[in-house]
Each structure stands twice: as structure tokens, then as C-alpha cells.
Amino acid sequence: NAYRGKYEGSPFSRDSAYHQGTVWPWLLGLYVDAIFKYENESAREEAQMIVRNIAAHLDHACIGSISEIFDGDYPHLPRGAISQAWSVAELLRVSQKYNLFA
């Protein structure tokens, strides 16, 4: 299937987009790990930006949580379940591991 940047429409349309453009926020934790493994000087700054951007969502859908998925296209609207534990866990894990909230 081709890229689908918005998770919307009929059940068939949403199913088609689920793995073809949908953003899964729990993967950001693994991305932050990769940044620290392969980047040198800008790793902390880039990781803090990622954590700050996703942490800003904690006040939107379900207070204190992160939505299940987001649109791949701007403005990256939250979709799916309003609260996804493993996304919150990854944010906390990398924030603590790399001391990103300091």
C-alpha cells in the first residue's frame, strides 16, 4: 500500500493507514537511544527536543498520557486510543536514562 498520512475515514481507510504512515509514539524511545548511540555533539539537544515535543501532548487528549497513534502528516493529530501506557513508559524511560528533564 502507498503512504497514508492521515488516519481517518472508513474502517477500511483507517486500517490501510495503520501501518502506512501512522506515527507510533512509543518508537520515539528507541529513536532517542539511537541518537545517543550514533550522534556526538548534538545528541542531548536533539533528544531533549523530541522529549519536549511529545511531553507537550501530555496536556491534550488524556491528561498525563500519550495517545496511541498520530497522523504522519502535519499537524500530526492524535488518533486511536487517548492513552497508551507503553508510549508514556518510553518517554519516562529515556528521560530518566539520559537525564533529559534536567
Side-chain angles (χ1 to χ4, degrees), residues 56-86:
H57 177 66
L58 292 170
D59 292 333
H60 292 129
C62 179
I63 303 301
S65 196
I66 297 172
S67 294
E68 174 188 16
I69 56 176
F70 292 80
D71 285 341
D73 289 350
Y74 183 83
H76 311 291
L77 296 175
R79 305 287 186 169
I82 62 170
S83 179
Q84 194 73 327
W86 56 70

Side-chain angles (χ1 to χ4, degrees), residues 88-99:
V88 175
E90 279 296 287
L91 173 68
L92 292 172
R93 181 186 69 79
V94 296
S95 295
Q96 183 176 14
K97 180 177 182 178
Y98 302 110
N99 198 24

Side-chain angles (χ1 to χ4, degrees), residues 3-97:
Y3 171 79
R4 306 198 43 136
K6 293 186 187 267
Y7 181 82
E8 63 186 5
S10 70
F12 177 79
S13 179
R14 290 191 312 270
D15 285 349
S16 298
Y18 209 56
H19 295 290
Q20 297 293 342
T22 297
V23 174
W24 296 81
W26 71 270
L27 293 170
L28 290 173
L30 299 172
Y31 182 66
V32 168
D33 286 335
I35 288 170
F36 276 97
K37 185 170 184 172
Y38 295 107
E39 295 223 4
N40 303 358
E41 301 163 23
S42 64
R44 174 162 299 285
E45 191 174 304
E46 186 175 352
Q48 284 177 320
M49 180 190 65
I50 290 166
V51 168
R52 272 194 307 268
N53 286 341
I54 195 66
H57 177 66
L58 292 170
D59 292 333
H60 292 129
C62 179
I63 303 301
S65 196
I66 297 172
S67 294
E68 174 188 16
I69 56 176
F70 292 80
D71 285 341
D73 289 350
Y74 183 83
H76 311 291
L77 296 175
R79 305 287 186 169
I82 62 170
S83 179
Q84 194 73 327
W86 56 70
S87 295
V88 175
E90 279 296 287
L91 173 68
L92 292 172
R93 181 186 69 79
V94 296
S95 295
Q96 183 176 14
K97 180 177 182 178

